Amino acid sequence: MKIKLLVFSLAMAGTYFQSFGQAFNNFPVTTQKPPLHGKHWMAITGKPLAATAGAMIFSKGGNAIDASCAMLASTCTMWDVLSWGGETQALIYNPKTKKVIALNAMGVAPTGATADFFKNKGMKYPPEYGPLAATTPGTAGGLMTMLAEYGTMSLKEVLAPAMQLAEGYPIEAQTANSIERGKEKIKEWPYSKKVFLTHPGEKREAPDAGEIFVQKELLATLQKLVDTEAQALKKGKNRKEAIYAAYDRFYKGDIAKEIARGCQEQGGLITEQDMASWKVKIEEPLVTNYKGIDVYKMQPWTQGPVMLQALNMLENFDLKAMGYNSSRYVHTMYQVMNLAFADRDFYYGDPAFAPEEPMKGLLSKEYAKQRIKQINWEKNDPKVLPGDPYPFEGKTNPFADQIKTWGTKQVSLRNEHGLNDKFMEEFTAGTTSVEAADEEGWVVSITPSGGWVPACIAGNTGVGLSQRMQSFVLDAKENPFNVVEPGKRPRVTLTPSMALKDGKPFLSFAKQAGDEQDQLLLQFFLNIVEFGMTVQEATEAPSFKTLQMYASFGEHEKDPGGLILNDNMPDWTRKELSRMGYRNSYQPRTSGPINAIYFDWIHGSMWGGSSNHGEDYGIGW
């Protein structure tokens, strides 16, 4: 009796503390990694060395913007798994305005990148790798814009850790082995071969784990940016103007010229004018309210609104009563995600180009209620179609007839051994995320990407080019909003997240890994809001994944009924889900990598969470 009473008391204590802040730390009983704690600042990202770079900047008096820029620069330099020629998207909470803003530093399709261009080459989609896969570089401009507009430090100070890494750092096994696996592709591009294959002609041509990996060309490029800033300051320019002088050198000066030349030499399309014309955009984020919590996402050139649509539908259910990861819960979540992803696959695209995305209708609460009426509660619906949000904007759907025949394209994901290995590698592969916050109130959530190994390096710059062109479609029948055009941004998977409660930061969270992102971020958010988990518990808790959306990469495959469950899912739940028409696969870890910061306003502190996947790491103070 005493033991039972103690268990009940502990359970009630957890409920009590959870209602006022994060629950007591159960580590190591329920999590493999401890939560992070900080009063002054928090820095979390994909590599320990990069998190250390953020801590270095904080220790020198920088704010969360400065630190996040240092972490971004470091992860790019360390190929985690991205480069300086990739893309960056960020949500930033500004404590001075009490507003969340969105930074769009996604590159665009270059001159000549039309649907006919790729079709004439016999392609179904733009390629996965190489110079023709490249959008214009966005990360460098995004970093410098963030720093100039919201930071406090100089570009020289913020780039110092990355420049030290470029001088030479002990490369970790994950990246070194990725280079070795991709070496045949790397050999197709002379500038990549020169940088990556440090032991040419040997059995292992990639660097060894722990080897000091030197990037002279990249260091020279970063030095040019720092030198330009210094020259501008010497001429009397202020901090902001000096950073933008460096920005102009990257996009309009000798760096841009060499990127364009190196890209075209290897068969790519990026021109000097493409570089000069590209601009970072500061945008209004999209937002929905879930049970008193405002959740923010990027515009529909990302997949971010998927999570907002799903929350609008899920608020109509008592999720907690279903039980965490019960067959009823999994089925409800899967069907809701089916509906949201079908809308993503048809309606999302760059809002700067026609046709106009019906986002007002898609994010309508009434539209959400209409969508959930379509759910079959007995079994999976493998033929979910996009909905019709136009009436919720007072309009008629111009694509109504097209939707009736949508979704017939099928590419098999399965063989006699189960799911296709290549698809699963692409589905689960990721780059990194960056989370930072400070005691002044600045909060940053970034999901940068692009230029992953094997990357095509642009000339003698050390800058790896993006591979994001593959996320476009060539046929308007698939998605009339996401057909490739010069100057257009592809609809990407990258999706930083932020949530405010009572007008104050509540959660900042993001994860890598393509089409997994919003479905796992959704579950992470509900783990905290509905099931009372701590931020670390929520990053590690077993999740599940749907494969019923069209993949954003490669051949854009789809696996109706495909469901990835955690190895720990009970037999009876597995059998019940199989009976409901799901085709189950299993993984030992299914929740991440998620990086997150929870703001405990009761105690005036921050909790950091970082999944037990890979090398993601954080430091708090």
Side-chain angles (χ1 to χ4, degrees):
M1 179 61 73
K2 288 183 179 179
I3 293 175
K4 289 182 178 179
L5 183 59
L6 175 60
V7 171
F8 176 77
S9 299
L10 287 171
M12 291 304 292
T15 302
Y16 173 79
F17 286 121
Q18 182 60 33
S19 66
F20 288 95
Q22 287 280 271
F24 53 82
N25 180 16
N26 291 320
F27 179 82
V29 177
T30 58
T31 62
Q32 293 182 4
K33 292 170 67 174
L36 301 166
H37 294 281
K39 177 184 176 183
H40 304 287
W41 52 261
M42 190 72 67
I44 313 175
T45 190
K47 299 282 188 187
L49 284 177
T52 302
M56 290 165 63
I57 296 299
F58 273 130
S59 69
K60 293 178 180 179
N63 70 4
I65 303 294
D66 302 319
S68 64
C69 288
M71 288 190 283
L72 174 59
S74 297
T75 57
C76 288
T77 302
M78 296 177 71
W79 300 89
D80 181 35
V81 177
L82 72 163
S83 176
W84 281 90
E87 49 271 352
T88 286
Q89 29 287 310
L91 291 174
I92 300 170
Y93 176 76
N94 185 336
K96 298 176 182 178
T97 63
K98 312 295 185 187
K99 300 286 187 183
V100 177
I101 62 104
L103 184 132
N104 173 347
M106 178 66 228
V108 300
T111 299
T114 65
D116 285 342
F117 172 84
F118 293 106
K119 287 178 180 178
N120 290 338
K121 290 183 172 293
M123 298 178 182
K124 294 180 180 178
Y125 300 96
E128 295 180 67
Y129 298 103
L132 284 178
T135 54
T136 53
T139 288
L143 186 154
M144 287 186 273
T145 299
M146 273 193 291
L147 183 63
E149 297 294 332
Y150 310 108
T152 67
M153 302 179 84
S154 68
L155 188 62
K156 179 180 179 179
E157 290 172 305
V158 164
L159 293 189
M163 293 177 72
Q164 290 180 41
L165 291 169
E167 287 175 349
Y169 76 95
I171 193 169
E172 70 289 337
Q174 184 183 56
T175 301
N177 293 337
S178 180
I179 292 170
E180 179 67 14
R181 288 194 302 271
K183 67 181 179 182
E184 295 307 317
K185 181 65 70 174
I186 288 170
K187 289 177 182 178
E188 296 177 14
W189 312 308
Y191 302 100
S192 299
K193 179 181 177 181
K194 180 172 64 171
V195 172
F196 288 124
L197 303 184
T198 57
H199 305 289
E202 298 181 18
K203 183 177 180 180
R204 180 185 174 96
E205 297 182 89
D208 296 316
E211 179 180 326
I212 303 302
F213 182 55
V214 178
Q215 300 172 78
K216 293 180 181 179
E217 292 86 357
L218 178 60
L219 178 61
T221 296
L222 299 181
Q223 187 65 54
K224 288 178 180 179
L225 298 178
V226 169
D227 289 345
T228 303
E229 178 191 47
Q231 291 164 9
L233 290 170
K234 199 171 183 179
K235 292 177 181 178
K237 301 291 186 182
N238 62 31
R239 185 193 72 90
K240 183 174 179 179
E241 291 168 337
I243 294 170
Y244 279 127
Y247 179 111
D248 285 343
R249 185 170 185 179
F250 190 94
Y251 286 96
K252 298 177 182 178
D254 57 339
I255 298 173
K257 187 173 183 177
E258 178 61 11
I259 287 174
R261 187 205 66 77
C263 179
Q264 291 177 37
E265 178 195 337
Q266 298 174 93
L269 298 173
I270 295 173
T271 67
E272 289 181 50
Q273 187 58 49
D274 292 328
M275 294 289 292
S277 299
W278 182 83
K279 295 283 189 300
V280 177
K281 293 185 177 183
I282 305 294
E283 301 177 335
E284 286 286 329
L286 297 175
V287 61
T288 197
N289 186 278
Y290 181 83
K291 299 185 177 181
I293 300 170
D294 291 320
V295 182
Y296 292 84
K297 285 286 188 174
M298 307 290 290
Q299 293 280 342
W301 57 271
T302 74
Q303 69 170 333
V306 160
M307 182 173 166
L308 305 184
Q309 286 191 242
L311 288 172
N312 284 345
M313 289 183 263
L314 291 169
E315 71 178 359
N316 295 285
F317 305 107
D318 187 348
L319 298 176
K320 190 173 183 179
M322 294 179 187
Y324 181 70
N325 278 0
S326 67
S327 57
R328 177 76 167 178
Y329 180 75
V330 173
H331 182 65
T332 300
M333 294 283 287
Y334 192 103
Q335 297 309 306
V336 163
M337 289 192 287
N338 282 353
L339 296 166
F341 277 115
D343 285 344
R344 180 203 77 168
D345 290 344
F346 188 81
Y347 289 116
Y348 289 18
D350 186 349
F353 285 71
E356 180 184 359
E357 291 79 3
M359 293 312 300
K360 181 180 177 182
L362 289 169
L363 294 180
S364 161
K365 299 282 189 178
E366 294 306 312
Y367 175 69
K369 290 177 180 177
Q370 183 195 73
R371 284 295 264 165
I372 60 177
K373 291 178 182 177
Q374 302 171 37
I375 294 176
N376 183 331
W377 293 108
E378 300 303 317
K379 61 181 181 180
N380 178 53
D381 180 0
K383 297 181 179 180
V384 168
L385 295 176
D388 186 359
Y390 284 91
F392 299 89
E393 297 185 354
K395 301 174 184 177
T396 300
N397 193 336
F399 306 104
D401 290 337
Q402 185 174 330
I403 287 173
K404 294 175 184 177
T405 58
W406 180 85
T408 56
K409 176 182 76 72
Q410 297 292 337
V411 179
S412 176
L413 300 184
R414 295 178 179 266
N415 53 40
E416 65 272 19
H417 305 295
L419 284 166
N420 178 281
D421 290 339
K422 180 177 181 294
F423 168 79
M424 286 308 299
E425 182 180 346
E426 291 173 348
F427 187 82
T428 58
T431 50
T432 199
S433 60
V434 175
E435 299 293 318
D438 62 38
E439 58 189 335
E440 186 184 351
W442 289 97
V443 186
V444 187
S445 180
I446 313 176
T447 316
S449 189
W452 52 75
V453 177
C456 177
I457 291 177
N460 294 303
T461 63
V463 172
L465 295 169
S466 168
Q467 300 98 335
R468 198 59 62 167
M469 286 285 290
Q470 64 185 298
S471 292
F472 280 115
V473 300
L474 306 183
D475 189 344
K477 291 180 181 178
E478 292 184 44
N479 180 340
F481 301 85
N482 190 38
V483 179
V484 64
E485 293 181 53
K488 189 175 187 177
R489 287 165 168 81
R491 195 281 297 150
V492 299
T493 54
L494 303 159
T495 173
S497 315
M498 198 170 290
L500 270 59
K501 188 175 183 181
D502 300 324
K504 296 187 292 186
F506 174 69
L507 276 174
S508 182
F509 53 114
K511 84 173 292 290
Q512 48 158 294
D515 294 295
E516 287 187 358
Q517 289 180 46
D518 270 305
Q519 50 180 307
L520 295 186
L521 290 171
L522 172 67
Q523 292 173 69
F524 161 82
F525 176 80
L526 295 172
N527 287 348
I528 292 175
V529 174
E530 294 287 357
F531 296 100
M533 297 185 193
T534 70
V535 68
Q536 184 61 39
E537 289 167 346
T539 65
E540 292 190 27
S543 300
F544 49 89
K545 309 171 192 178
T546 171
L547 302 177
Q548 194 160 304
M549 81 291 287
Y550 281 114
S552 301
F553 306 96
E555 295 298 314
H556 294 235
E557 307 97 328
K558 184 178 185 177
D559 185 30
L563 173 63
I564 299 176
L565 298 169
N566 191 276
D567 284 347
N568 292 325
M569 187 66 77
D571 284 343
W572 60 86
T573 305
R574 299 181 183 202
K575 292 176 182 177
E576 179 68 9
L577 291 168
S578 295
R579 186 191 64 77
M580 299 174 81
Y582 292 105
R583 298 195 287 181
N584 301 338
S585 303
Y586 302 92
Q587 291 178 342
R589 290 186 175 93
T590 51
S591 63
I594 293 174
N595 291 319
I597 302 171
Y598 167 84
F599 298 89
D600 183 348
W601 291 102
I602 298 298
H603 303 106
S605 65
M606 293 173 267
W607 289 57
S610 186
S611 296
N612 56 337
H613 286 237
E615 299 170 309
D616 292 68
Y617 193 84
I619 305 174
W621 183 250

